[in-house]
Amino acid sequence: MRRLIVIACLVALAACSKDKDPDKPAKLANLQATLRVDHVWGDDVGGAKVPLRLGLALAVDGDRVYAAGRKGDVAAFQLASGHQIWRTKTKAPLGGGTAVVGDLVVVGSSDGDVIALNAANGKVRWRVRVNGEILSSPAIGPRAVVVRTADGKLRGLGLADGKELWQQEQAVPRLSLRGVAQPTIAGDMAICGFDNGKVVAVNSIDGTIAWETPVAPPRGRTELERLVDIDSAVRVSGEDIFVVGFQGKVAMLALDTGQVWWSHDASSYRSLGIDDDNVYMASADGEIAALTRRTGAQVWQQKALMHRGVSAPVVSGDAVVVADFQGYVHWLDKSTGALAARVSTGKFRISNAPVVAGNLVIVINDRGRISAFRATPIAGHAKAAAAPAPAPAPAPAPAAPSTAPAPAAPSTAAPAEPAPPPSPPAAPGTDASTGR
């Protein structure tokens, strides 16, 4: 509680400072779309009246999409049509979800509930409580469900009954961002970033530590300067791990030893996108960049979405996709970073990364509204040419979006109109309405 109060005070001081105005989000300019984006289906799993920035991400397994809402609903939908297969009301204030492997779906709550459901019909298999707030999706390993809690603990729970099998803990600094990294499963290992800037790999069967690596040691004299949280999931590709932290580094590590192969200064509280050639990063201030996997050298950068609270980037075909604090979804040309298309899902922020399944891109906003899109090249349009990123134009600062009902998403990527004025700003990882 003390840590949250400190964060709220810092946010208030920053907002009232007369020395420097808050950074203004870039105004969305008209674009010449090179992709046609069609709205395929939409649904809803419910959310809080005031949108909260939680780890309620979508999960896709086979021909189904699984989603969880703040009020406790967990649902499964057909991937192609959005038809609802089942819906279960857990009545828990969900804060982390959705994980799915095989016949098991797992979600977690702000009260510390971990709930496992049958993927076929949504029936609750088991429900246990751990001592810690859950703000990111659990991960399902070969012998355990792995859960990260806000108190710095990583826990392994039995697949059959949720019984705690093991526990590991890292120190939590007095000041940190609100949010925790989702664990990532790689073989028998569970790999997770922590608020002290370390990445730790543990055996998901017995909880023994395989290795731990400080990606970015704290620097500076004040607690604010020493923030080095890793609040997003690491990405594993082959024998490589890619990770980024706030006010820290973006780095590539060896999967077997945790050795750092390369690292560069960076600041982000979102996860990375990867493909065979590049790593894609959304910085804390909204700059989108592509880096080579081999060395981390920059390939391109796009500044047209600065300070718009963009989500983690994902790769969809020849595009990189991000979403922002006003509910817009943006497609960027993967080879140049040029903006290729944009659609609106309404006025509510999209904090969690889009999910790609075949030729579909699916997003869920912070009010629990799900939208699925399909992008196809527009006939007669060549690939967007590389161009210098436009300087951001002044616009109202981002925070909790308007609470007006979200309009239906358009069927094509028409140029967006200037965004409506939002509320006063919130610091990264902090909910403007609650100071959390």
Side-chain angles (χ1 to χ4, degrees), residues 30-230:
N30 290 340
L31 60 86
Q32 184 65 44
T34 58
L35 292 174
R36 172 190 173 92
V37 179
D38 294 307
H39 181 251
V40 180
W41 59 266
D43 214 302
D44 198 291
V45 286
K49 290 183 179 179
V50 178
L52 301 174
R53 188 174 297 167
L54 301 166
L56 294 173
L58 299 168
V60 173
D61 188 57
D63 60 356
R64 294 186 179 187
V65 179
Y66 298 87
R70 175 61 175 172
K71 293 183 178 180
D73 284 14
V74 183
F77 305 93
Q78 288 183 351
L79 175 62
S81 66
H83 172 73
Q84 181 178 294
I85 301 168
W86 54 257
R87 180 179 294 247
T88 299
K89 297 182 181 297
T90 68
K91 298 182 180 180
L94 298 181
T98 315
V100 55
V101 172
D103 63 350
L104 197 64
V105 178
V106 184
V107 294
S109 81
S110 298
D111 291 339
D113 295 298
V114 183
I115 305 165
L117 304 94
N118 188 309
N121 54 29
K123 290 184 178 179
V124 175
R125 288 189 172 182
W126 50 260
R127 181 171 183 158
V128 298
R129 176 162 291 190
V130 297
N131 293 323
E133 187 178 20
I134 300 171
L135 295 172
S136 64
S137 176
I140 304 174
R143 296 274 294 277
V145 173
V146 182
V147 181
R148 166 73 201 282
T149 50
D151 56 2
K153 293 179 180 178
L154 192 68
R155 294 175 168 88
L157 310 178
L159 293 175
D161 55 10
K163 181 180 178 181
E164 185 169 301
L165 305 175
W166 53 262
Q167 182 183 124
Q168 286 291 347
E169 183 176 5
Q170 292 287 315
V172 179
R174 290 179 60 193
L175 182 65
S176 70
L177 301 181
R178 175 163 171 79
V180 298
Q182 175 188 354
T184 298
I185 302 295
D188 287 335
M189 286 199 300
I191 307 165
C192 193
F194 288 85
D195 297 342
N196 57 7
K198 289 184 179 180
V199 175
V200 179
V202 305
N203 186 305
S204 64
I205 298 173
D206 60 18
T208 56
I209 293 181
W211 51 260
E212 60 179 75
T213 299
V215 175
R219 296 174 294 184
R221 292 178 296 179
T222 68
E223 291 188 32
L224 188 60
E225 292 173 330
R226 293 171 64 82
L227 284 173
V228 289
D229 296 44
I230 297 175

Side-chain angles (χ1 to χ4, degrees), residues 343-368:
V343 294
S344 173
T345 63
K347 298 179 180 179
F348 295 105
R349 177 178 57 197
I350 300 172
S351 296
N352 290 288
V355 172
V356 175
N359 61 359
L360 292 180
V361 172
I362 313 162
V363 298
I364 182 169
N365 70 18
D366 291 5
R367 286 292 298 270

Side-chain angles (χ1 to χ4, degrees), residues 26 28 285-286 288 303-308 310 322 330 332 339:
L28 297 179
D285 60 10
I288 315 298
K303 296 186 176 183
L305 305 177
M306 294 286 285
H307 310 301
R308 293 191 62 84
V310 295
V322 297
H330 309 266
L332 287 71
L339 293 170

